[in-house]
Each structure stands twice: as structure tokens, then as C-alpha cells.
Amino acid sequence: MARVRLKGLNQVSKRLADGRRVTYWYAWKGGPRLPGAPGSPAFMAAYNDAVGQRRAPSTDDLAALVALYRSSPEFQGLGASTRAEWNRWLDRIADRDGDELAIGGLPYPALDDRRVRADILAWRDQWADRPRSADYAIQVLGRVLAWGLDRGLLALNAAAGIGQLYTSNRADQVWTANEIARVTAAAKSPEVGYIIRLACLTGLRRDDLAGLMWSHVGQLAIVKPTGKSRGRKVATIPLLDETLALLDEIRAQQVKRHAELCAVAARKNRPAPPAPLTVLTNTRGRPWTVNGLEHQIIDAKAAASPPVSKHLHDARGTFATYLRQGGLTAPEIADVLGWEEKRVERLLATYVDRDSIVMDLAQRLRRNKSGTQTPN
């Protein structure tokens, strides 16, 4: 009699406490356990039933909810880069049978049971060695469940309130003048060195730095629709004297670089390149891509002597310290950066106000000491 190979069948062997070795059979990895021995009527009936249910996709489980969320205006309204990153995690969330930790097959009644948090935490803990990834997984899952709650498909968001694994206090992580100078010196070109300098003097995020146009630069401030909000919000960045000086330096370098590129084009009988419209450009006079901008800074940090460990987004905190030194209050700085006021206060208390207090105390002590000195 011909033997039939059952597709996806999973075999697991275990040693019992008495030393005996037993074999368990599952319809597939992570699938239901099958009774009896392979080929027996009970075994075949259970296998066929499991496969039949698997082929008929559920319309009321987490995977189906993910499919609904993906087609929603809330998801489609996210930025392209955010959608691309979220899609990776949505695939993992929707997985019904990848392994025993897969949660895509959880039905709506189970998702409405608070005890499902144990399953969610076990699923998250697959990435416990990468805590930021684990937290991101919960962030995306929580958004899907919140969407289902808003649409009346679920009674609760079982991922709400789950604490983060990743802890990092970057309140005192700001670029020092020495670090900025080292990275600028290690940059492959002046155009690369401008990136971190402009980031520290404007507090703009990576995407907004790459897309900053000269038309956004006014006499008193930079006014730019933010990439994070897909243009729905506008960032208004006051221009410091140092920022104005840097922008003049960038303009002069762009004029010089453009003249060089035009000369090369003339020698090769090619059309002259257009004058750059963005503030930051590469050595070919073209705007940086977001990834290209980031990688150039990573390379320059590694090439610095000694290497610099600060992140590009720490430049926002550096800009906050400049604004404080320029006389702005914590609420005003919070308004410029779009941060919570408490976050600004923590940063200033850690880095700026602490130094100001120490300097003030030192000056008072020096004055008091000189004022009380009398001859014996």
C-alpha cells in the first residue's frame, strides 16, 4: 500500500521522568496535538479536521483584526516609513501558526479576557534580549487593539498598561562643543560636518533636517511643516546668532561646490546642475536621503578621535540648552521642541541650571571672601 506523506506534520520527542522516551505528533509546528499513531483512523481524522479549520480563515481573531486595521484610514494616514516598519510587526502579530507563541489565532473572546495578557507577554518576551524591539512590538499591538476597541470589535485593550523593558535616561545626553568639533573634523566633507552642527542649532529631527529648504528659512525663524506629522504641524525654530552664521557658511560652501560642479559639467559638455534648494546637500549638490544623512553621521562619529557615542537625536537636547542660555523659559522651550514641560525641566536641571547655580555660588563665595578679609 502506498504511503501518504502528511504535509507540515511535526514530531516532538521527550524523555519522561521514568526514563521512557515518547513521541508526540502535531498537525504542524505550533498546531494541535494529534491522538494515536500516524496512520490510525483517529490520527488521520484529527489531522484532516485540523488542516480543514486552518484553511478556513477566521474572521474574528487577531489576524483578521490586523487585516482590518491595515485597510483603515488610521493606518493609511501614517507616514510611508512608519507604515513600512509597522507592517513588519503587523505580520508577526497576525501570524497564526508560526510557533507555540503565535498570537494571530487568538479569537475576540480571548482578547477580551484579561488573562490573555500572559500570552501577550510571552509573545513579547521572544525579543527580551532586544528590549527596544520588544517594546515596539507591544506599541504596535496596542495600537491594533485600541483600534478594535474604538470600532466596537473588542471590549478592552489587553496590551494597555504593559510596562516597557527598555529603560534609558538620556536627559543629560547632549552634544558638547568638543564632541561637535571632533565629529566635524572627522567628517568626509564640509557638507557632512554641517549636519550635526545644524541639528544642534535647530533641534530638527533627522527627517526634517534632510527636507529643510532654503524657503523655510526666514529672518527670525525657520518655519517648516514637520515630517513626523506629515505636514499637519509646523515647527517654528527661532534663529540664534550662531545658526545665522552657520547658514551663511553653508550658503558659501554651496556656491563654491555648485561652481565646481558646473565647471565639471562644462568640460564634459553636460547641462549645468541646478542650484540646490535644500539647506543640507551632499558633495554632488543633491539633497541627502534620510538614511544617507544618518549613516554619514554614524561614520563620522566612529572616525572621530576619540569616537563619539552620542546619537543624532540627542541634538534636540543640545538645542534646548542653547535656548536656555539665550534666556528662554522651560515652557517656551517645550513649546519650540514639542516636548512636555517636565522633560525640558529635567534636562535643564541636569545640564544647564546645575552649572549656572554652581557658577553663581562660586562667584558669591569669592565676593564674600574678598569682602570679609581684614588685616590681623
Side-chain angles (χ1 to χ4, degrees):
M1 184 176 68
R3 298 180 63 183
V4 178
R5 184 178 295 275
L6 301 179
K7 185 177 180 180
L9 202 62
N10 188 39
Q11 175 184 358
V12 177
S13 297
K14 292 185 178 180
R15 187 179 297 278
L16 301 180
D18 59 7
R20 287 185 300 116
R21 197 169 191 83
V22 297
T23 299
Y24 298 117
W25 295 90
Y26 298 84
W28 56 84
K29 186 177 180 180
R33 183 175 162 186
L34 304 175
S40 67
F43 185 95
M44 294 304 300
Y47 175 81
N48 290 330
D49 182 61
V51 172
Q53 292 184 21
R54 187 185 190 190
R55 287 174 178 168
S58 174
T59 58
D60 60 353
D61 63 7
L62 182 54
L65 184 65
V66 168
L68 292 173
Y69 174 70
R70 271 184 164 136
S71 62
S72 70
E74 287 85 352
F75 180 71
Q76 295 302 319
L78 298 174
S81 60
T82 302
R83 287 201 310 273
E85 181 64 21
W86 279 44
N87 269 320
R88 294 176 54 247
W89 287 102
L90 290 173
D91 287 340
R92 294 169 178 169
I93 294 169
D95 185 11
R96 289 188 173 99
D97 44 45
D99 54 41
E100 63 274 8
L101 296 176
I103 59 175
L106 290 171
Y108 287 176
L111 295 173
D112 284 337
D113 189 329
R114 294 186 180 278
R115 291 174 293 182
V116 79
R117 285 170 74 94
D119 298 296
I120 291 174
L121 289 170
W123 173 78
R124 178 203 67 177
D125 291 347
Q126 296 176 93
W127 303 282
D129 60 328
R130 290 175 288 156
R132 296 183 71 174
S133 294
D135 292 340
Y136 202 79
I138 293 297
Q139 177 187 348
V140 178
L141 174 60
R143 181 70 67 89
V144 172
L145 297 180
W147 182 87
L149 178 62
D150 289 341
R151 296 298 175 106
L153 300 173
L154 298 178
L156 61 87
N157 179 353
I162 291 180
Q164 291 189 336
L165 295 180
Y166 180 77
T167 56
S168 175
N169 178 16
R170 303 197 66 83
D172 59 347
Q173 297 298 306
V174 299
W175 286 75
T176 65
N178 179 267
E179 290 168 332
I180 296 172
R182 278 158 38 207
V183 169
T184 301
K188 296 177 181 178
S189 68
E191 286 84 351
V192 173
Y194 295 146
I195 297 172
I196 189 59
R197 293 172 63 191
L198 188 63
C200 289
L201 286 171
T202 61
L204 288 172
R205 296 182 177 88
R206 180 190 61 176
D207 296 37
D208 294 322
L209 280 170
L212 181 63
M213 311 283 288
W214 285 111
S215 60
H216 297 142
V217 180
Q219 292 184 340
L220 298 176
I222 292 172
V223 181
K224 182 188 183 304
T226 61
K228 191 172 183 179
S229 68
R230 301 190 74 193
R232 293 187 296 270
K233 295 181 180 179
V234 174
T236 303
I237 309 297
L239 290 173
L240 307 173
D241 290 341
E242 298 89 339
T243 316
L244 291 170
L246 175 60
L247 290 172
D248 288 341
E249 184 180 340
I250 294 174
R251 281 192 184 95
Q253 175 63 21
Q254 284 189 346
V255 170
K256 176 184 176 183
R257 185 73 70 184
H258 186 251
E260 294 172 352
L261 295 171
C262 287
V264 172
R267 288 197 302 269
K268 297 182 177 181
N269 293 320
R270 295 177 179 173
L277 299 178
T278 57
V279 174
L280 294 176
T281 53
N282 57 28
T283 54
R284 292 171 295 172
R286 299 175 182 173
W288 290 106
T289 65
V290 174
N291 288 334
L293 182 147
E294 174 100 34
H295 290 151
Q296 290 294 333
I297 290 298
I298 291 173
D299 291 345
K301 290 193 307 176
S305 180
V308 175
S309 61
K310 300 291 171 57
H311 300 325
L312 181 57
H313 57 252
D314 291 329
R316 288 173 63 75
T318 310
F319 182 53
T321 66
Y322 291 161
L323 293 177
R324 181 62 152 193
Q325 292 163 358
L328 269 65
T329 64
E332 290 169 336
I333 296 171
D335 186 54
V336 170
L337 291 175
W339 284 359
E340 292 183 359
E341 187 176 334
K342 289 183 178 179
R343 180 179 180 183
V344 174
E345 290 173 346
R346 285 197 303 270
L347 183 144
L348 298 178
T350 302
Y351 198 78
V352 180
D353 294 344
R354 176 193 61 192
D355 293 346
S356 299
I357 292 171
V358 171
M359 290 295 295
D360 181 63
L361 288 174
Q363 291 173 358
R364 286 166 54 194
L365 286 170
R366 189 175 294 113
R367 286 196 303 268
N368 290 339
K369 184 176 180 181
S370 61
T372 56
Q373 286 180 344
T374 55
N376 286 332

